[in-house]
Amino acid sequence: MVAKSNREILTGGKSYKQKAAKKFGADEVKFDKDSRLEYLTGFHKRKLDRQKKAKEFIQEQERKARLEERAKIRADKKKALEKQLEDFKQAMKDVGDYVGVEDDDEEAENGKQGSDEEAEEWTGFSDDNGDATEEEEEDSDSVSVKPILKKYVQTYLDDTTVDIEPLEPNDNFEYLAELNNVKLEKSEQILDQSIERAKKYAKFLGVEEKSGNKSKKNKKFRYLTKNERRQNQRKANNNKRRK
């Protein structure tokens, strides 16, 4: 038996060559003029197709980028609005005028409790006939609240009477204030609180305090005229002569 060569061992020899020829080779080569003409004259057409596809791809990418940018802008606006709302609520809480959902619930509960207590404490009408008249209610209101300002009635010639309340306080001002449950010693404190509250409102609305010291305007520079220069030179010469 003849020993196989290295080529036959590594490549399979003749059988490998035959298989390779069948696999990669062509049994028949046919020349097509139309295909050749289309290939030779189709460079520009294929170039335009590539440019069109690239343009469509770029437009699609730009459209997606615009959509992402819009979504990002909407998210940023939403966050800014939420932050602004939180700042507004915090500012209103600092001022003391914020009424939120929790406060509404508390007020509703307090109102419900108050109505229950009133229902328990109410014992019925005082009169046998029913409701009290409007005149009696007005009299009771006038008795419960004492007027702090001076009040007098002026009668005219045609018997017309007018109740006048000037802005001057009554002589027994402190006594009447005590009857009306008004504490005068807290007036300064309430005034300071009102001023502080007004300052917070102004700060919240962005009103800045105007500085009283206005900057002085600089004098505008200008060149001297010919006559002014002559006068200045004449004055300087006269001063030299005097010395």
Side-chain angles (χ1 to χ4, degrees), residues 45-98:
K45 182 180 179 180
R46 290 191 294 273
K47 182 179 179 181
L48 293 178
D49 291 339
R50 290 194 300 271
Q51 290 178 353
K52 184 179 179 181
K53 290 181 180 179
K55 187 176 181 180
E56 291 176 354
F57 177 77
I58 292 172
Q59 289 178 353
E60 182 66 19
Q61 295 298 321
E62 290 178 353
R63 188 182 70 84
K64 291 181 179 179
R66 285 196 299 270
L67 293 177
E68 292 178 358
E69 186 67 21
R70 289 176 184 173
K72 185 179 179 182
I73 291 172
R74 284 196 297 270
D76 294 341
K77 285 184 178 180
K78 186 177 180 181
K79 290 181 181 179
L81 183 61
E82 291 177 355
K83 186 177 183 302
Q84 188 177 3
L85 184 60
E86 290 295 330
D87 295 340
F88 176 76
K89 288 181 179 179
Q90 187 63 34
M92 296 300 290
K93 286 180 181 178
D94 295 339
V95 173
D97 285 349
Y98 176 71

Side-chain angles (χ1 to χ4, degrees), residues 113-123:
Q113 292 177 359
S115 62
D116 294 339
E117 291 177 357
E118 290 177 358
E120 292 176 358
E121 294 177 357
W122 186 70
T123 57

